[in-house]
Amino acid sequence: MNDIKERKARLQQLVADILQEAKAQGASAAEAGVSSDAGLSLNVRMGEPETIEHTRDSGLGVTVYFGQRKGSANTSDLSPEAVRETVRAACNFARYTSEDDCSGLADAGLMATDLPDLDLYHPWNQSVDEAIELAQTCEAVARDQDSRIVNSEGASVDSHAGLHVYGNSHGFISGYPSSRHSMSCAVVGQDGDSMQRDYWYSQSRRHVDLETPETVGRIAAERTVSRLGARRIATGEAPVLFQADVAVGLLRSFLGAIRGSALYRKASFLLDHLDQRVFPEFVRIHEMPYLPRGLGSAAFDSEGVATREQDFVSDGILRSYLLDSYAARKMGMQSTGNAGGVRNLRTSSGSLDRQGLLNNMGRGLLVTELMGKGVNTVTGDYSRGAAGFWVEGGEIQYPVEEITIAGNLKEMMLGLQDIGCDVETRTSVQTGSWLIDHMMIAGQ
């Protein structure tokens, strides 16, 4: 731990030096971010190590302002000469750019002052041989799970830990160490002419919080086998249940629609919807940046602005947009502390798990995979390739594939019937399964 404190102190001094150099070169304001990261990534396929990669990366980015003119430059070389040249390049860019009334540092009064330890740093000191053994165990369990598992795309183990320090000429300089570990497996199944693949993964700040390799392998195999014998279904309308890991994508589409950059460009179907109903009354969408060991936890955003617990939606009403300083100025508003994105976003959840939601749906489509990029954030039109299961009487009947589901995100959000308690916890954007009242399904 002493080593990480010393490294943090060195990076903070480096950021201070960068800001001083920018001032010496004539900048009226500047900001800089420096990161240092090390990790191990490996993949095993059919029991044999396929790739092993050690990484040790460093980088810095500096942005300078000459009044309302802005220039930025980056480098992975942290030597004093390279730092001075990078600052010089940013300054040269700034001298030739046009003035923008909205550019500049975040407001000084919004800088974070409360900087708690969020317990984000848990390096995994495993050897390469130990990591290979974990991946081999994971894949072996998946391959042995069912005789219909005939091939493997491999199992992987990834572990990264590092430091990030940010500072600006308001006098704010701070940083924190963090770690992230994951394990995944993907296998191929075959039954007659039907061939399918699926995967599973686990991700956490602490390696002890990962699912076991046996669990990851077993779930990957079960998901693959369950898709064998998939068929197309007739075109028509039906209620749709988006499984929790898929529903996260719907939530991210909502976030994209309330992001400042989309709003000030008038490229969002939720433009001018602040304080209006966008979900049913039971829906709350809130951000919790201070969760210990949270995958998205941070006390300040990428501009040094203090993060905060906040509701983007409560009682189904859109309460806040998602703004960094530039977008906020464009819109005559104030930053919401979301430069760089959201940090630990969660939706309210009902009392039903996935099976409970299937029972309530009765007859319809359970979506477990989406394909393609058919989301128009300007109009809200939504059309995606999908795979999943057809449901009758609340019970899964058979897997389905080669279908398209279509609707409009605005109508889908208002048509949300329930959110399950089966919350997807492997990402920083978390929700349970979403039951939508109806969508168009294009099959055969």
Side-chain angles (χ1 to χ4, degrees):
M1 189 58 78
N2 286 335
D3 177 60
I4 201 71
K5 288 181 179 177
E6 291 172 5
R7 289 169 54 201
K8 179 181 174 183
R10 284 200 299 271
L11 292 188
Q12 287 182 321
Q13 184 58 54
L14 176 59
V15 169
D17 293 343
I18 293 169
L19 298 176
Q20 184 61 39
E21 179 67 22
K23 183 179 179 181
Q25 294 194 29
S28 55
E31 57 188 330
V34 182
S35 61
S36 173
D37 177 90
L40 169 67
S41 300
L42 62 85
N43 187 72
V44 166
R45 183 176 177 276
M46 304 303 282
E48 298 296 328
E50 199 166 56
T51 60
I52 301 173
E53 183 179 6
H54 278 287
T55 58
R56 187 171 292 276
D57 299 321
S58 296
L60 75 85
V62 57
T63 298
V64 301
Y65 300 92
F66 284 66
Q68 302 301 122
R69 290 176 287 136
K70 171 184 174 182
S72 298
N74 296 275
T75 182
S76 58
D77 185 348
L78 303 187
S79 67
E81 296 78 12
V83 169
R84 278 194 295 274
E85 285 305 311
T86 304
V87 173
R88 192 184 313 282
C91 291
N92 287 337
F93 292 146
R95 291 187 178 97
Y96 291 100
T97 57
S98 301
E99 290 195 352
D100 184 336
D101 291 342
C102 295
S103 71
L105 301 178
D107 297 344
L110 299 179
M111 294 296 103
T113 55
D114 183 17
L115 302 169
D117 180 359
L118 298 175
D119 196 20
L120 306 179
Y121 184 62
H122 296 275
W124 190 1
N125 298 317
Q126 63 176 338
S127 68
V128 171
D129 288 342
E130 290 169 337
I132 289 174
E133 186 175 347
L134 282 174
Q136 288 173 327
T137 301
C138 185
E139 187 194 41
V141 169
R143 292 175 62 196
D144 293 342
Q145 190 69 24
D146 192 293
S147 60
R148 290 169 289 179
I149 299 296
V150 297
N151 208 336
S152 170
E153 293 185 357
S156 66
V157 172
D158 291 270
S159 176
H160 293 268
L163 269 168
H164 176 73
V165 171
Y166 168 84
N168 60 40
S169 46
H170 288 320
F172 177 89
I173 297 180
S174 187
Y176 54 88
S178 63
S179 57
R180 184 171 298 220
H181 317 290
S182 65
M183 186 186 315
S184 66
C185 184
V187 288
V188 178
Q190 184 171 16
D191 189 3
D193 294 333
S194 178
M195 182 172 285
Q196 300 285 343
R197 55 87 64 191
D198 212 328
Y199 71 99
W200 191 247
Y201 75 96
S202 180
Q203 179 172 240
S204 179
R205 293 284 189 192
R206 301 192 303 180
H207 73 90
V208 295
D209 293 330
L210 292 175
E211 293 176 317
T212 65
E214 291 82 2
T215 299
V216 174
R218 175 181 58 77
I219 295 176
E222 289 175 350
R223 285 167 59 97
T224 298
V225 170
S226 70
R227 297 175 63 160
L228 292 171
R231 61 181 93 163
R232 299 181 71 184
I233 54 177
T235 296
E237 285 193 13
V240 174
L241 179 63
F242 290 84
Q243 188 168 272
D245 55 332
V246 179
V248 168
L250 293 177
L251 188 53
R252 290 190 186 279
S253 294
F254 162 74
L255 294 175
I258 64 168
R259 197 176 304 278
S261 57
L263 292 164
Y264 72 70
R265 291 185 174 93
K266 301 187 184 304
S268 168
F269 67 94
L270 291 180
L271 183 67
D272 299 327
H273 277 62
L274 203 60
D275 298 322
Q276 294 185 30
R277 180 170 300 286
V278 294
F279 282 99
E281 190 173 359
F282 67 86
V283 175
R284 179 188 181 210
I285 300 176
H286 54 290
E287 185 180 26
M288 297 178 291
Y290 295 98
L291 291 179
R293 299 189 295 279
L295 288 170
S297 294
F300 57 89
D301 73 2
S302 58
E303 296 178 317
V305 175
T307 55
R308 64 194 187 206
E309 292 206 5
Q310 57 187 328
D311 285 350
F312 291 104
V313 172
S314 63
D315 302 322
I317 306 293
L318 180 59
R319 305 293 185 185
S320 173
Y321 292 138
L322 200 161
L323 303 175
D324 58 18
S325 294
Y326 185 83
R329 290 174 186 139
K330 279 281 191 183
M331 300 173 66
M333 304 177 81
Q334 191 174 72
S335 170
T336 56
N338 291 111
V342 295
R343 292 163 181 83
N344 301 327
L345 197 81
R346 291 189 176 179
T347 62
S348 52
S349 296
S351 59
L352 299 177
D353 60 11
R354 194 186 78 162
Q355 184 55 52
L357 293 172
L358 289 175
N359 291 338
N360 273 5
M361 183 173 71
R363 178 180 183 274
L365 178 67
L366 167 63
V367 173
T368 58
E369 184 178 11
L370 291 169
M371 292 149 275
K373 299 180 179 179
V375 182
N376 186 328
T377 57
V378 179
T379 62
D381 289 342
Y382 187 90
S383 179
R384 306 284 304 277
F389 300 87
W390 186 250
V391 177
E392 297 275 358
E395 298 294 333
I396 290 175
Q397 301 300 306
Y398 49 83
V400 297
E401 63 179 359
E402 296 184 33
I403 59 172
T404 300
I405 56 173
N408 183 277
L409 280 171
K410 194 172 176 179
E411 296 172 0
M412 291 162 62
M413 287 157 43
L414 288 169
L416 182 61
Q417 299 294 294
D418 202 352
I419 299 176
C421 61
D422 54 338
V423 177
E424 165 65 55
T425 60
R426 297 172 296 169
T427 72
S428 62
V429 176
Q430 301 184 358
T431 186
S433 297
W434 285 23
L435 177 58
I436 308 290
D437 57 355
H438 74 280
M439 293 185 70
M440 177 58 71
I441 302 169
Q444 57 187 0

